[in-house]
Amino acid sequence: QTCALPILLKDIEVKTNESVFIDDREKNCNAAKALGIHSILFQNESQLRSELEDITSKPAPGIGKLNPLMIK
């Protein structure tokens, strides 16, 4: 199965090291990491907020305010 992430990032003109992939499946997070994409294995809201803050060095917004790009 081909990963669409590199194609998507190229289309929206975002570098892999400038993006964050969030998923609740470890397999998907590992695939993103292998491509050089910051990856967070989602467990709960506070854990996600903390890891986003670690990556961005800025306070993360509430989960309801995130505007994720979903790929199915």
Side-chain angles (χ1 to χ4, degrees):
Q1 185 173 351
T2 303
C3 182
L5 288 174
I7 297 167
L8 172 68
L9 293 175
K10 183 178 179 183
D11 285 349
I12 62 174
E13 300 178 355
V14 174
K15 296 176 184 174
T16 56
N17 65 342
E18 296 174 344
S19 60
V20 179
F21 181 80
I22 302 165
D23 201 299
D24 62 349
R25 294 184 180 150
E26 188 171 7
K27 178 181 175 181
N28 295 340
C29 289
N30 289 339
K33 283 181 186 176
L35 296 169
I37 300 170
H38 294 285
S39 179
I40 298 174
L41 178 61
F42 179 81
Q43 298 167 14
N44 59 60
E45 182 178 341
S46 61
Q47 166 262 341
L48 176 58
R49 183 179 290 116
S50 175
E51 291 196 42
L52 283 171
E53 288 173 359
D54 288 345
I55 290 171
T56 65
S57 300
K58 298 178 183 177
I63 298 302
K65 295 180 181 178
L66 290 177
N67 188 11
L69 176 60
M70 302 296 289
I71 303 172
K72 298 249 177 191

